[in-house]
Amino acid sequence: MYGAGDVRVEEVAEPTIQAPTDAIVRVTVACVCGSDLHPYRSKKAGERGTPMGHEAVGVIEQVGADVHDVAVGDLVVVPFGYSDNTCAICRDGFQTACPHGGFIAGAQAELLRVPQADGTVVTVPADVDPALLPSLLTLSDVYLTGYHAAFMAKVAPGKVVTVIGDGAVGLSAVLAARQMGAERIILMGRHTVRTDLGRRWGATDVVAERGEEGVAKVLELTGGEGSHVVLEAVGHMPAYEQAYGVVRAGGVISRVGVPQYEQAPVGFGSLFGKNVTLNGGPAPVRAYIEDAIPLVLDGTIDPGAVFDAEVSLDDTAEGYRLMDSREALKVLVRP
Amino acid sequence: MYGAGDVRVEEVAEPTIQAPTDAIVRVTVACVCGSDLHPYRSKKAGERGTPMGHEAVGVIEQVGADVHDVAVGDLVVVPFGYSDNTCAICRDGFQTACPHGGFIAGAQAELLRVPQADGTVVTVPADVDPALLPSLLTLSDVYLTGYHAAFMAKVAPGKVVTVIGDGAVGLSAVLAARQMGAERIILMGRHTVRTDLGRRWGATDVVAERGEEGVAKVLELTGGEGSHVVLEAVGHMPAYEQAYGVVRAGGVISRVGVPQYEQAPVGFGSLFGKNVTLNGGPAPVRAYIEDAIPLVLDGTIDPGAVFDAEVSLDDTAEGYRLMDSREALKVLVRP
């Protein structure tokens, strides 16, 4: 990506093993993330492009000398963050904050270098039904990011859950909340095609209104008390404002939309006065991925249904355009 | 209080029953709260004074027709917030957000009107040792506010806890964290008399440095990883900044100092990137008070040790001065 709206597919040098813990992965499927749209809309034009893409399923093509847990030929899911998965922070389940970790870049490509391969990638059966690859790909980021929101908010039976955002992460949060037993899930979104998938995945109410009107609607739906849990899957300030507007006293706002702000209201009038908990962050998908794979393989969940468009690697720019214009919910890229 | 630094003791009309759920309490002991110092330092001068004080132990002098659970002559602890204690929000344990609740005002007085008496006051044995009255008084607010911070942060054995602030709430948070099993408690404060009480109550380390130096010191003490739990008992922005500086990835910042700010950093660079949980708020002491009374009566805890000065009601202004100048940690007012 050279700047806002400027995505180019170029031939570059193949990635090589730079540290003995690296692996090189030949990408089978990759995709465009909602968070990729932030620079797509705002990145300053520059002379050097930035390698894009951080979600992939692929085949290990080469491993460094210190990689022992995966081997050439393995089919793996690559989480969007790499981590050693052995340090105290990783053992706490917060691999995205691993002091030896970082974020994957350049997955929208044929070949991808994955640092800390042993602590990062997770193997899936090499003979998996290709129809399941899109769902496995969502374990790189999107589904397990929605899951992380619900996990941090301790969604459970009896909790009213409101999901803000009908993008792929928001819909994934609906699916995860339902999996955790929530019976009442209010989805705030206005794109019927998307909210229909949300309903299929467990949303019991859809609120198309935004801002104060949307807040009033959710309060009405919850007998004036608000929602025990709010999963914020957008990242912009109006979504944050909706979140503290609809949350119940003592409730939780869990954010997984990457915040496009640093400062936000947290004082008496927003969070403090109502004893609201705010949490969330970059999803440590590595902590959840091993439990999720069997659910995909046995059909319990089908998170890959978020993909409603597919492009070849050469057409990646068109993939961005489709998502930016909301013509597509989420675009698969097949190198 | 007529304005910053202007506290006057005046004869006013006696409070009367205004709703059938009210009670009138003759105040045995009251006190000055750290939160009273905020207006003491900043309140604009006005022609009408504001009744001050929200912490009291006293004797029921009169009850409204709908008060059934307490009777004239009962000795009671009055929480700083009143609540019906029957609605869904109260049953969740967040009485300070009760839709029929509010905050007590005018406890620094001989007589005090308490709305929602049945849902608010808690009886203690009328023949209690008078030496225990200060500790029982702390259940109105200060000790259970510190307790609330630790409760919301789920303090438990094995968690490193950092307490920011060596005021009476901060020290109470130390005591509560120790009661919940924390073995490592770092107290950030610089007043030796206070931090000595903190050490007696369970602080294992005292960090006198503030700002970046203080953050560096706590990180050093925690092997670079930071503190699982941060209890913020100040309410000013520098304390908030210290909090997110010392918190461990995936950790919790629980605030009980009333925020003197509305906006604060919550984005990638502060909370989000590290998956930090932010919570806390006005302590629903009513939820904790019944469990705390026996611990005071049997001497398990002595939270009244925060009182290091006592004034008569006539000298209440002097009590404010003593706390504002930090000559006293917390001042008891005895009408």
Side-chain angles (χ1 to χ4, degrees):
Chain A
M1 183 179 291
Y2 281 81
D6 186 4
V7 173
R8 307 179 199 168
V9 179
E10 298 183 323
E11 284 289 336
V12 295
E14 291 195 355
T16 55
I17 299 289
Q18 290 174 22
T21 47
D22 286 355
I24 305 297
V25 171
R26 181 164 294 276
V27 176
T28 309
V29 281
C31 53
V32 182
C33 182
S35 70
D36 292 333
L37 296 180
H38 295 310
Y40 187 75
R41 288 164 183 164
S42 65
K43 187 177 162 66
K44 272 180 72 173
E47 285 189 13
R48 292 186 58 166
T50 304
M52 297 299 294
H54 49 257
E55 300 155 279
V57 171
V59 178
I60 301 278
E61 179 134 325
Q62 198 184 341
V63 293
D66 287 350
V67 174
H68 305 294
D69 299 345
V70 288
V72 172
D74 283 356
L75 183 65
V76 296
V77 179
V78 182
F80 74 91
Y82 62 86
S83 56
D84 63 25
N85 210 29
T86 57
C87 70
I89 302 296
C90 284
R91 278 183 276 123
D92 283 352
F94 293 98
Q95 285 86 344
T96 43
C98 173
H100 307 113
F103 296 108
I104 295 290
Q108 292 158 5
E110 290 170 322
L111 290 169
L112 169 66
R113 183 175 73 90
V114 179
Q116 301 284 0
D118 273 349
T120 302
V121 303
V122 180
T123 309
V124 293
D127 61 348
V128 68
D129 179 354
L132 294 178
L133 286 174
S135 280
L136 290 171
L137 176 60
T138 68
L139 308 185
S140 280
D141 183 344
V142 56
Y143 173 62
L144 290 181
T145 288
Y147 181 93
H148 178 58
F151 179 86
M152 291 297 286
K154 299 190 169 54
V155 169
K159 304 263 186 186
V160 176
V161 176
T162 297
V163 175
I164 300 179
D166 60 6
V169 172
L171 299 177
S172 295
V174 169
L175 176 57
R178 183 73 197 93
Q179 289 294 309
M180 292 181 194
E183 296 112 5
R184 183 84 187 277
I185 302 173
I186 302 166
L187 173 59
M188 301 188 80
R190 49 173 57 193
H191 301 88
T192 315
V193 176
R194 300 176 177 200
T195 56
D196 283 352
L197 179 55
R199 286 188 191 275
R200 173 155 84 75
W201 276 350
T204 50
D205 304 82
V206 170
V207 171
E209 293 85 349
R210 293 182 180 183
E212 284 179 27
E213 267 183 278
V215 169
K217 196 68 190 285
V218 174
L219 291 179
E220 188 193 315
L221 287 170
T222 55
E225 289 170 358
S227 193
H228 295 97
V229 166
V230 182
L231 308 179
E232 195 282 88
V234 178
H236 291 289
M237 185 47 66
Y240 182 93
E241 289 166 346
Q242 278 181 51
Y244 70 74
V246 304
V247 71
R248 178 185 174 102
V252 183
I253 297 170
S254 182
R255 294 177 298 164
V256 286
V258 180
Q260 302 303 299
Y261 50 82
E262 185 60 37
Q263 301 270 330
V266 301
F268 216 100
S270 48
L271 305 186
F272 189 87
K274 288 203 290 187
N275 260 293
V276 169
T277 292
L278 176 71
N279 59 23
V285 303
R286 187 62 184 77
Y288 313 128
I289 201 165
E290 287 170 52
D291 287 345
I293 287 171
L295 302 178
V296 168
L297 296 182
D298 73 8
T300 302
I301 54 172
D302 64 335
V306 290
F307 292 107
D308 57 352
E310 182 176 323
V311 295
S312 67
L313 187 59
D314 285 343
D315 290 331
T316 301
E318 171 66 4
Y320 276 81
R321 195 197 63 73
L322 286 167
M323 275 181 66
D324 179 52
S325 64
R326 295 184 189 275
E327 288 168 66
L329 172 55
K330 191 163 174 81
V331 175
L332 192 88
V333 177
R334 207 180 280 268
Chain B
M1 183 177 294
Y2 281 80
D6 186 4
V7 174
R8 307 179 199 169
V9 179
E10 297 184 325
E11 283 290 336
V12 295
E14 292 195 354
T16 54
I17 299 288
Q18 291 175 22
T21 47
D22 286 355
I24 306 296
V25 171
R26 183 162 293 274
V27 176
T28 310
V29 280
C31 52
V32 182
C33 182
S35 71
D36 292 334
L37 297 180
H38 294 310
Y40 187 74
R41 289 167 182 162
S42 64
K43 186 176 162 66
K44 270 178 72 171
E47 286 189 13
R48 293 187 57 165
T50 303
M52 297 299 294
H54 50 257
E55 299 155 279
V57 171
V59 178
I60 302 276
E61 179 133 325
Q62 198 184 342
V63 293
D66 287 351
V67 175
H68 305 295
D69 298 344
V70 287
V72 172
D74 284 355
L75 183 66
V76 295
V77 179
V78 183
F80 75 91
Y82 61 87
S83 55
D84 63 24
N85 210 28
T86 55
C87 70
I89 302 295
C90 285
R91 278 182 277 121
D92 283 352
F94 293 97
Q95 285 86 344
T96 43
C98 173
H100 307 113
F103 296 108
I104 296 290
Q108 292 158 5
E110 290 169 323
L111 291 168
L112 170 67
R113 183 175 72 90
V114 179
Q116 302 284 359
D118 274 350
T120 303
V121 303
V122 181
T123 308
V124 293
D127 61 350
V128 69
D129 179 354
L132 294 179
L133 286 174
S135 280
L136 290 171
L137 176 60
T138 68
L139 309 185
S140 280
D141 184 344
V142 56
Y143 174 62
L144 291 181
T145 289
Y147 181 93
H148 178 59
F151 179 85
M152 291 297 286
K154 298 190 168 55
V155 169
K159 304 262 186 185
V160 177
V161 176
T162 297
V163 175
I164 299 179
D166 60 8
V169 173
L171 299 177
S172 296
V174 169
L175 176 58
R178 183 72 198 93
Q179 288 294 309
M180 293 181 194
E183 297 112 4
R184 183 83 188 274
I185 302 173
I186 301 167
L187 173 59
M188 300 187 82
R190 51 172 57 193
H191 301 88
T192 316
V193 175
R194 300 175 177 200
T195 57
D196 283 351
L197 178 55
R199 285 187 192 273
R200 174 155 84 76
W201 277 349
T204 50
D205 304 82
V206 170
V207 171
E209 292 85 350
R210 293 182 180 182
E212 285 179 26
E213 267 182 279
V215 169
K217 195 68 188 283
V218 174
L219 292 179
E220 187 193 316
L221 287 170
T222 55
E225 287 170 0
S227 193
H228 295 96
V229 165
V230 182
L231 308 179
E232 195 283 86
V234 179
H236 290 289
M237 185 48 66
Y240 182 93
E241 289 166 345
Q242 277 180 51
Y244 70 73
V246 303
V247 72
R248 179 186 174 102
V252 183
I253 297 170
S254 182
R255 293 178 299 163
V256 287
V258 180
Q260 302 303 300
Y261 51 82
E262 185 61 36
Q263 301 269 330
V266 300
F268 216 100
S270 48
L271 305 185
F272 189 87
K274 290 204 289 188
N275 261 293
V276 169
T277 291
L278 176 71
N279 60 23
V285 302
R286 186 64 182 78
Y288 312 129
I289 201 165
E290 288 170 52
D291 287 345
I293 287 171
L295 301 180
V296 168
L297 296 182
D298 73 11
T300 303
I301 54 173
D302 63 335
V306 290
F307 292 108
D308 57 353
E310 182 176 323
V311 296
S312 69
L313 188 58
D314 285 343
D315 291 330
T316 301
E318 172 65 5
Y320 277 81
R321 194 198 62 75
L322 286 168
M323 275 181 65
D324 179 51
S325 64
R326 295 185 188 274
E327 289 168 65
L329 171 55
K330 191 163 174 81
V331 175
L332 192 89
V333 177
R334 205 179 282 268

Coordinates of all heavy atoms in Angstrom, one line a residue, chain A residues 52-111:
Chain A
M52 N 1.2 -5.5 3.0 CA -0.1 -5.6 3.7 C -0.6 -7.1 3.9 O -0.1 -8.0 3.2 CB -1.2 -4.9 2.9 CG -1.0 -3.4 2.7 SD -0.9 -2.4 4.3 CE -2.6 -2.6 4.8
G53 N -1.5 -7.2 4.8 CA -2.1 -8.5 5.1 C -1.5 -9.2 6.3 O -0.3 -9.2 6.5
H54 N -2.3 -9.7 7.2 CA -1.8 -10.3 8.4 C -2.6 -11.6 8.8 O -2.5 -12.1 9.9 CB -1.8 -9.3 9.6 CG -3.1 -8.6 9.7 ND1 -3.3 -7.3 9.3 CD2 -4.3 -9.0 10.2 CE1 -4.6 -7.0 9.6 NE2 -5.2 -8.0 10.1
E55 N -3.4 -12.1 7.8 CA -4.2 -13.3 8.0 C -3.8 -14.3 6.9 O -3.8 -13.9 5.8 CB -5.7 -12.9 7.9 CG -6.1 -11.9 9.0 CD -7.3 -11.1 8.6 OE1 -7.2 -10.2 7.8 OE2 -8.4 -11.5 9.0
A56 N -3.5 -15.5 7.3 CA -3.2 -16.5 6.3 C -3.3 -17.9 6.8 O -3.1 -18.2 8.0 CB -1.7 -16.3 5.9
V57 N -3.7 -18.8 5.9 CA -3.5 -20.2 6.0 C -2.5 -20.6 4.9 O -2.7 -20.2 3.8 CB -4.8 -21.0 5.9 CG1 -4.6 -22.5 5.9 CG2 -5.7 -20.6 7.1
G58 N -1.6 -21.4 5.2 CA -0.6 -21.8 4.2 C 0.2 -23.0 4.6 O 0.0 -23.6 5.6
V59 N 1.2 -23.3 3.7 CA 2.0 -24.5 3.9 C 3.4 -24.1 4.2 O 4.0 -23.2 3.5 CB 2.0 -25.4 2.6 CG1 2.9 -26.6 2.7 CG2 0.5 -25.8 2.2
I60 N 4.0 -24.7 5.2 CA 5.4 -24.4 5.6 C 6.3 -24.8 4.5 O 6.3 -25.9 4.0 CB 5.8 -25.1 6.9 CG1 4.8 -24.8 8.1 CG2 7.2 -24.9 7.2 CD1 5.1 -23.6 8.8
E61 N 7.1 -23.8 4.0 CA 8.0 -24.1 2.9 C 9.4 -24.2 3.3 O 10.2 -24.9 2.7 CB 7.8 -22.9 1.9 CG 8.7 -23.1 0.7 CD 8.0 -22.8 -0.6 OE1 6.7 -23.2 -0.7 OE2 8.6 -22.3 -1.6
Q62 N 9.7 -23.5 4.5 CA 11.1 -23.5 4.9 C 11.1 -23.2 6.4 O 10.2 -22.4 6.8 CB 11.9 -22.4 4.1 CG 13.4 -22.6 4.2 CD 14.0 -21.4 3.5 OE1 13.4 -20.7 2.7 NE2 15.3 -21.2 3.8
V63 N 12.0 -23.8 7.2 CA 12.0 -23.4 8.6 C 13.5 -23.1 9.0 O 14.4 -23.7 8.5 CB 11.5 -24.6 9.5 CG1 10.0 -24.8 9.3 CG2 12.2 -25.9 9.3
G64 N 13.6 -22.3 10.0 CA 14.9 -22.0 10.6 C 15.4 -23.1 11.4 O 14.6 -24.0 11.8
A65 N 16.7 -23.0 11.8 CA 17.3 -24.1 12.6 C 16.7 -24.4 13.9 O 16.8 -25.5 14.4 CB 18.8 -23.8 12.7
D66 N 16.1 -23.4 14.5 CA 15.5 -23.5 15.9 C 14.0 -23.8 15.8 O 13.3 -23.7 16.9 CB 15.8 -22.3 16.7 CG 17.2 -22.2 17.1 OD1 17.9 -23.2 16.9 OD2 17.6 -21.2 17.7
V67 N 13.4 -24.1 14.7 CA 12.0 -24.4 14.6 C 11.8 -25.9 14.7 O 12.4 -26.7 13.9 CB 11.4 -23.9 13.3 CG1 9.9 -24.3 13.2 CG2 11.5 -22.4 13.3
H68 N 11.1 -26.4 15.7 CA 11.0 -27.8 16.0 C 9.6 -28.4 16.0 O 9.4 -29.5 15.8 CB 11.6 -28.1 17.4 CG 13.0 -27.6 17.5 ND1 14.1 -28.1 16.8 CD2 13.5 -26.6 18.3 CE1 15.2 -27.5 17.1 NE2 14.9 -26.5 18.0
D69 N 8.6 -27.5 16.2 CA 7.2 -28.0 16.4 C 6.5 -28.0 15.0 O 5.4 -28.6 15.0 CB 6.5 -27.1 17.4 CG 7.2 -27.1 18.7 OD1 8.0 -28.0 19.0 OD2 6.9 -26.2 19.6
V70 N 7.0 -27.4 14.0 CA 6.3 -27.5 12.7 C 7.4 -27.9 11.7 O 8.6 -27.6 11.9 CB 5.6 -26.2 12.3 CG1 4.3 -26.1 13.1 CG2 6.5 -25.0 12.4
A71 N 7.0 -28.5 10.6 CA 7.9 -28.9 9.6 C 7.5 -28.6 8.2 O 6.3 -28.2 8.0 CB 8.1 -30.5 9.7
V72 N 8.4 -28.6 7.3 CA 8.1 -28.3 5.9 C 6.9 -29.2 5.4 O 6.9 -30.4 5.7 CB 9.4 -28.5 5.0 CG1 9.0 -28.4 3.5 CG2 10.4 -27.5 5.4
G73 N 6.0 -28.6 4.8 CA 4.8 -29.4 4.3 C 3.6 -29.3 5.2 O 2.5 -29.6 4.8
D74 N 3.8 -28.8 6.4 CA 2.6 -28.7 7.3 C 1.7 -27.6 6.8 O 2.1 -26.5 6.4 CB 3.1 -28.3 8.7 CG 3.6 -29.5 9.5 OD1 3.6 -30.6 9.0 OD2 4.1 -29.3 10.6
L75 N 0.4 -27.8 6.9 CA -0.6 -26.8 6.7 C -0.9 -26.1 8.0 O -1.2 -26.7 9.0 CB -1.9 -27.4 6.1 CG -3.0 -26.4 5.7 CD1 -2.6 -25.5 4.6 CD2 -4.3 -27.2 5.4
V76 N -0.8 -24.8 8.0 CA -0.9 -24.0 9.3 C -1.8 -22.8 9.2 O -1.9 -22.2 8.1 CB 0.5 -23.6 9.8 CG1 1.4 -24.8 10.1 CG2 1.2 -22.6 8.8
V77 N -2.3 -22.5 10.3 CA -3.0 -21.2 10.5 C -2.0 -20.2 11.1 O -1.3 -20.6 12.0 CB -4.2 -21.3 11.4 CG1 -4.9 -19.9 11.5 CG2 -5.2 -22.3 10.9
V78 N -1.9 -19.0 10.5 CA -0.9 -18.0 10.9 C -1.7 -16.9 11.7 O -2.4 -16.2 11.1 CB -0.2 -17.4 9.8 CG1 0.9 -16.4 10.3 CG2 0.5 -18.5 8.9
P79 N -1.6 -16.8 13.0 CA -2.2 -15.8 13.7 C -1.7 -14.4 13.3 O -0.5 -14.3 12.9 CB -1.9 -16.0 15.2 CG -1.5 -17.5 15.2 CD -0.9 -17.7 13.9
F80 N -2.5 -13.4 13.5 CA -2.0 -12.0 13.0 C -0.9 -11.4 13.9 O -0.2 -10.5 13.5 CB -3.2 -11.0 12.9 CG -3.7 -10.6 14.2 CD1 -3.2 -9.4 14.8 CD2 -4.7 -11.2 14.9 CE1 -3.7 -8.9 16.0 CE2 -5.2 -10.8 16.1 CZ -4.7 -9.6 16.7
G81 N -0.7 -12.0 15.0 CA 0.4 -11.6 15.9 C 1.3 -12.8 16.1 O 0.8 -13.9 16.2
Y82 N 2.6 -12.5 16.1 CA 3.5 -13.6 16.4 C 4.0 -13.5 17.9 O 3.9 -12.4 18.4 CB 4.7 -13.8 15.4 CG 5.6 -12.6 15.3 CD1 6.7 -12.4 16.2 CD2 5.4 -11.6 14.4 CE1 7.5 -11.3 16.1 CE2 6.2 -10.5 14.3 CZ 7.3 -10.4 15.2 OH 8.1 -9.3 15.1
S83 N 4.4 -14.6 18.5 CA 4.7 -14.6 19.9 C 5.5 -15.8 20.2 O 5.5 -16.8 19.5 CB 3.4 -14.7 20.7 OG 2.6 -15.8 20.3
D84 N 6.3 -15.8 21.3 CA 7.1 -17.0 21.6 C 6.2 -18.1 22.2 O 6.6 -19.2 22.2 CB 8.3 -16.6 22.5 CG 7.9 -16.0 23.8 OD1 6.8 -16.3 24.4 OD2 8.8 -15.3 24.4
N85 N 5.1 -17.6 22.8 CA 4.2 -18.6 23.5 C 4.8 -19.3 24.6 O 4.3 -20.4 25.0 CB 3.5 -19.5 22.5 CG 2.1 -19.9 22.9 OD1 1.4 -19.2 23.5 ND2 1.7 -21.1 22.5
T86 N 5.8 -18.8 25.2 CA 6.5 -19.5 26.4 C 6.7 -18.5 27.5 O 6.8 -19.0 28.7 CB 7.8 -20.1 26.0 OG1 8.7 -19.0 25.5 CG2 7.7 -21.2 25.0
C87 N 6.7 -17.2 27.3 CA 7.0 -16.2 28.3 C 5.8 -16.1 29.3 O 4.7 -16.6 29.0 CB 7.3 -14.9 27.7 SG 5.9 -14.0 27.0
A88 N 6.0 -15.4 30.4 CA 4.9 -15.3 31.4 C 3.7 -14.6 30.8 O 2.5 -14.9 31.1 CB 5.4 -14.5 32.6
I89 N 3.9 -13.6 29.9 CA 2.7 -12.9 29.3 C 1.9 -13.8 28.4 O 0.7 -13.8 28.4 CB 3.2 -11.6 28.6 CG1 4.0 -10.7 29.5 CG2 2.1 -10.9 27.9 CD1 3.3 -10.1 30.7
C90 N 2.6 -14.6 27.6 CA 1.9 -15.6 26.8 C 1.2 -16.6 27.6 O 0.1 -17.0 27.3 CB 2.9 -16.3 25.8 SG 3.5 -15.2 24.4
R91 N 1.9 -17.0 28.7 CA 1.2 -18.0 29.5 C 0.0 -17.5 30.2 O -1.0 -18.2 30.5 CB 2.2 -18.6 30.6 CG 3.1 -19.7 30.0 CD 4.0 -20.3 31.0 NE 5.3 -19.5 31.1 CZ 5.7 -19.0 32.2 NH1 5.0 -19.2 33.4 NH2 6.8 -18.3 32.3
D92 N -0.1 -16.1 30.4 CA -1.3 -15.5 30.9 C -2.4 -15.5 29.9 O -3.5 -15.2 30.2 CB -1.0 -14.0 31.2 CG -0.3 -13.8 32.5 OD1 -0.1 -14.8 33.3 OD2 0.1 -12.7 32.8
G93 N -2.0 -15.8 28.6 CA -3.0 -15.7 27.5 C -3.1 -14.4 26.8 O -4.1 -14.1 26.2
F94 N -2.0 -13.6 26.9 CA -2.0 -12.3 26.2 C -0.8 -12.3 25.2 O 0.0 -11.4 25.2 CB -2.0 -11.2 27.2 CG -3.3 -11.1 27.9 CD1 -3.4 -11.7 29.2 CD2 -4.4 -10.6 27.4 CE1 -4.6 -11.7 29.9 CE2 -5.6 -10.5 28.0 CZ -5.7 -11.1 29.3
Q95 N -0.9 -13.2 24.2 CA 0.3 -13.4 23.3 C 0.5 -12.1 22.4 O 1.6 -11.9 21.9 CB 0.0 -14.6 22.4 CG 0.2 -15.9 23.0 CD -1.0 -16.5 23.8 OE1 -1.9 -15.7 24.1 NE2 -1.0 -17.7 24.1
T96 N -0.5 -11.3 22.2 CA -0.3 -10.1 21.4 C 0.5 -9.1 22.2 O 0.9 -8.0 21.6 CB -1.7 -9.4 21.0 OG1 -2.6 -9.4 22.1 CG2 -2.3 -10.2 19.9
A97 N 0.8 -9.3 23.4 CA 1.7 -8.4 24.2 C 3.0 -9.1 24.5 O 3.8 -8.6 25.3 CB 1.0 -7.9 25.5
C98 N 3.3 -10.2 23.9 CA 4.6 -10.9 24.1 C 5.7 -10.0 23.8 O 5.8 -9.4 22.8 CB 4.6 -12.1 23.1 SG 6.2 -13.0 23.2
P99 N 6.7 -9.9 24.8 CA 7.8 -9.0 24.6 C 8.7 -9.5 23.4 O 9.5 -8.7 22.9 CB 8.6 -9.1 25.9 CG 8.0 -10.3 26.7 CD 6.7 -10.6 26.1
H100 N 8.6 -10.7 23.0 CA 9.3 -11.1 21.8 C 8.4 -11.3 20.6 O 8.8 -11.9 19.6 CB 10.0 -12.5 22.1 CG 10.9 -12.5 23.3 ND1 10.6 -13.2 24.4 CD2 12.0 -11.7 23.6 CE1 11.4 -12.9 25.4 NE2 12.3 -12.0 24.9
G101 N 7.3 -10.6 20.7 CA 6.3 -10.8 19.6 C 6.1 -9.5 18.8 O 6.9 -8.6 18.9
G102 N 5.2 -9.6 17.8 CA 4.9 -8.4 17.0 C 3.8 -8.8 16.0 O 3.1 -9.8 16.3
F103 N 3.6 -8.0 15.0 CA 2.5 -8.3 14.1 C 2.9 -8.7 12.8 O 3.9 -8.2 12.2 CB 1.6 -7.0 14.0 CG 0.9 -6.7 15.3 CD1 1.3 -5.6 16.1 CD2 -0.1 -7.5 15.9 CE1 0.7 -5.3 17.3 CE2 -0.6 -7.2 17.1 CZ -0.2 -6.1 17.8
I104 N 2.2 -9.7 12.2 CA 2.5 -10.2 10.9 C 2.3 -9.1 9.8 O 1.3 -8.4 10.0 CB 1.6 -11.5 10.6 CG1 2.0 -12.6 11.6 CG2 1.7 -11.9 9.1 CD1 3.3 -13.3 11.3
A105 N 3.1 -9.1 8.8 CA 2.9 -8.1 7.7 C 3.3 -8.8 6.4 O 4.3 -9.5 6.4 CB 3.7 -6.9 7.9
G106 N 2.5 -8.6 5.4 CA 2.8 -9.1 4.1 C 2.2 -10.5 3.8 O 2.7 -11.3 3.0
A107 N 1.0 -10.7 4.4 CA 0.3 -12.0 4.1 C -0.4 -12.0 2.8 O -0.8 -13.1 2.3 CB -0.6 -12.4 5.3
Q108 N -0.7 -10.8 2.3 CA -1.4 -10.8 1.0 C -0.3 -10.9 0.0 O 0.2 -9.9 -0.7 CB -2.1 -9.4 0.8 CG -3.3 -9.4 1.8 CD -3.8 -7.9 2.1 OE1 -3.3 -7.0 1.5 NE2 -4.8 -7.8 3.0
A109 N 0.2 -12.2 -0.2 CA 1.4 -12.4 -1.0 C 1.5 -13.9 -1.2 O 0.7 -14.7 -0.6 CB 2.7 -12.0 -0.2
E110 N 2.4 -14.4 -2.0 CA 2.6 -15.8 -2.2 C 3.4 -16.4 -1.1 O 3.1 -17.6 -0.7 CB 3.3 -16.0 -3.6 CG 2.5 -15.7 -4.8 CD 3.2 -15.7 -6.1 OE1 4.4 -15.2 -6.1 OE2 2.7 -16.1 -7.1
L111 N 4.4 -15.7 -0.6 CA 5.2 -16.2 0.4 C 5.3 -15.2 1.6 O 5.2 -14.0 1.4 CB 6.6 -16.4 -0.1 CG 6.8 -17.6 -1.1 CD1 8.2 -17.5 -1.7 CD2 6.6 -18.9 -0.4

